[in-house]
Structures are given as C-alpha cells and as structure tokens.
C-alpha cells in the first residue's frame, strides 16, 4: 500500500535562507510523486511532480525536488526563501501507477518565513 | 480558464443535521474528486467520478455520505446525519481525464459540526 511521511509538521526559516521540506514515501508500484502548496483558506495548487524520466524536477516559484529511489525520498527545496512562500506544503503519492488523480497525501508541513 | 467552483464556503450545522456541498469542475474535465481534509491532516479521497460514473468510493462512509454527478458535470456531496467528526474542509478537484493529468482544486467548503 502507498503511504507518505512528511518529517516536521512545522519548519521556520529566515527570508533568503534555504528551504528544505522532507518527504519519504512507500509504494508498491513505480510512484508518481507530487508536491502541493496550500495558502490559507484556499485549495491546493500543484508545485511540481515526478512521473518518469529526469529525477530532478523543477516547479513553480523556484521550487525543485529530487526523486531518490534508493532512499524512497522526494524532498522539496528552494535556494532562497521569500515571505510569500509561507504556506502549508503537502507531499503526495499516486495510489495507482500512472495516475495523477487518486492520491495519498502526507500530513503537511507548515512553512513560516521570518523577515 | 475558470477554476473549480465550490459552494458554500462555510457551513455550521448541529450534529444529526443534514448538509450538502456543491462543486462545478473546470469545463471539459471528465474526472471529479471529493477529498476530505481534517484539521492537521492531508486530504483524503472520498470519491472519484469519471463523467457520471463512480470510479472509486472505497473510502466514502456510505452509511451517512452520498455523492452524485448526474449529468457528468457538477456534483453534490451530502452528509446525513452529520457527526462531530465530520468537521473538516471538503475539497473538490477535477482533471481532464482519468488521472492522466494533474488535479485542479477548488477553495473548499469548511464544515463545522457542533
């Protein structure tokens, strides 16, 4: 069965500092992996996804993530945090191979950015 | 392109009452999903429609929850009767086809059961 573990429910960084949000997954099929961002009182917005091919994927707003099969990880990074990055971030894995719809989400990591 | 529309944005009801949520997906999106997001947790899939047919409702508490998408466009999710543990944000999402394209989420309906 598929599952996702996000390490750290709350991460705080200073503006301009590196952002690192951790995600480990378990999947019985070749995984499709996703990072979504949720701003207060809004729905989820896709940041980036890994399906097949290049293991380093780039997303919107300067975020990127690397799929590491040996470590079963898909950590999200951004070199320099901006105040507008403050939000909750969710890692997700597809339930069925080849699908982007039926997803298992992690519990989320709330990112705070200090001026 | 208009996004996924959901209404109402907020709803407060007492336990044992009934409530319904409405979702209008992006035009042309064949697949529609209802997710439940309890405070402090990630979204959990309740039901997936492909056009007007149910693809997956394995996690829908069918004794109290029901959903329909009669004409393959908009959808309603109903809870009857509501319990305290149903307090959550109910998110609707849609995609072009059966999971081959990413999800687009609405802003959700926040339900409080007192």
């Amino acid at each position: 069965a598929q599952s996702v573990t996000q390490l750290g429910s709350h991460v705080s960084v200073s503006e301009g500092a590196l952002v690192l949000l951790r995600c480990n997954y378990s999947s019985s099929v070749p995984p499709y992996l996703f990072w979504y961002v949720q701003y207060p009182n809004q729905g989820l917005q896709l940041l980036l996804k890994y399906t097949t091919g290049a293991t380093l994927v780039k997303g919107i707003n300067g975020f990127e993530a690397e799929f590491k099969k040996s470590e079963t990880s898909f950590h999200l990074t951004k070199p320099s945090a901006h105040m507008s990055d403050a939000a909750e971030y969710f890692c997700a894995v597809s339930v069925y191979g080849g699908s982007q719809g039926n997803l298992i989400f992690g519990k989320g990591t709330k990112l705070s950015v200090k001026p | 392109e208009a996004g996924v529309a959901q209404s109402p944005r907020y709803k407060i009801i007492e336990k044992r009452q009934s409530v319904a949520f409405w979702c209008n997906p992006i035009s042309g999106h064949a697949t529609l999903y209802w997710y439940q997001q309890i405070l402090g947790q990630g979204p959990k899939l309740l039901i997936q429609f492909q056009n007007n047919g149910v693809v997956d409702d394995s996690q829908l508490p069918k004794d109290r929850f029901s959903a329909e998408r009669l004409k393959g466009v908009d959808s309603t999710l109903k809870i009857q009767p509501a319990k305290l543990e149903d307090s959550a944000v109910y998110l609707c999402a849609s995609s072009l086809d059966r999971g081959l394209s990413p999800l687009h989420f609405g802003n959700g309906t926040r339900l409080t059961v007192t």
Side-chain angles (χ1 to χ4, degrees), chain A:
Chain A
Q2 279 68 270
S3 67
V4 169
T5 302
Q6 290 185 241
L7 300 175
S9 59
H10 194 177
V11 170
S12 182
V13 301
S14 297
E15 192 173 19
L18 171 72
V19 175
L20 171 60
L21 305 182
R22 299 177 187 273
C23 172
N24 288 89
Y25 71 91
S26 171
S27 180
S28 56
V29 298
Y32 279 17
L33 295 160
F34 306 82
W35 277 100
Y36 281 85
V37 61
Q38 186 175 36
Y39 297 100
N41 297 316
Q42 294 186 25
L44 283 76
Q45 178 184 4
L46 181 65
L47 266 182
L48 50 78
K49 63 181 179 182
Y50 168 79
T51 54
T52 58
T55 56
L56 180 63
V57 292
K58 296 185 185 299
I60 61 172
N61 302 336
F63 284 93
E64 62 181 36
E66 187 170 11
F67 168 61
K68 292 188 176 180
K69 185 178 179 181
S70 61
E71 298 177 8
T72 61
S73 69
F74 191 58
H75 301 330
L76 182 71
T77 60
K78 181 174 181 178
S80 176
H82 193 271
M83 297 296 291
S84 60
D85 294 327
E88 190 154 21
Y89 292 80
F90 292 91
C91 181
V93 64
S94 56
V95 171
Y96 304 110
S99 170
Q100 300 189 41
N102 192 334
L103 304 179
I104 300 290
F105 285 86
K107 291 188 175 182
T109 298
K110 189 165 289 187
L111 175 67
S112 300
V113 182
K114 299 175 291 187

Side-chain angles (χ1 to χ4, degrees), chain B residues 35-110:
Chain B
Y35 279 84
Q36 179 194 55
Q37 185 178 17
I38 293 173
L39 186 65
Q41 299 183 22
K44 182 186 83 171
L45 181 69
L46 292 176
I47 189 166
Q48 176 185 349
F49 291 94
Q50 179 69 16
N51 296 310
N52 61 350
V54 175
V55 173
D56 186 346
D57 63 356
S58 57
Q59 299 192 88
L60 187 73
K62 298 181 187 63
D63 57 334
R64 297 184 301 107
F65 286 64
S66 64
E68 60 183 15
R69 193 185 183 199
L70 290 176
K71 296 183 179 179
V73 180
D74 55 355
S75 175
T76 55
L77 176 70
K78 296 178 182 177
I79 308 175
Q80 181 180 8
K83 293 185 175 181
L84 294 177
E85 59 261 36
D86 298 331
S87 294
V89 175
Y90 291 84
L91 293 165
C92 180
S94 67
S95 66
L96 264 176
D97 46 32
R98 187 170 171 170
L100 299 180
S101 55
L103 301 182
H104 296 261
F105 283 86
N107 287 339
T109 295
R110 182 178 298 276

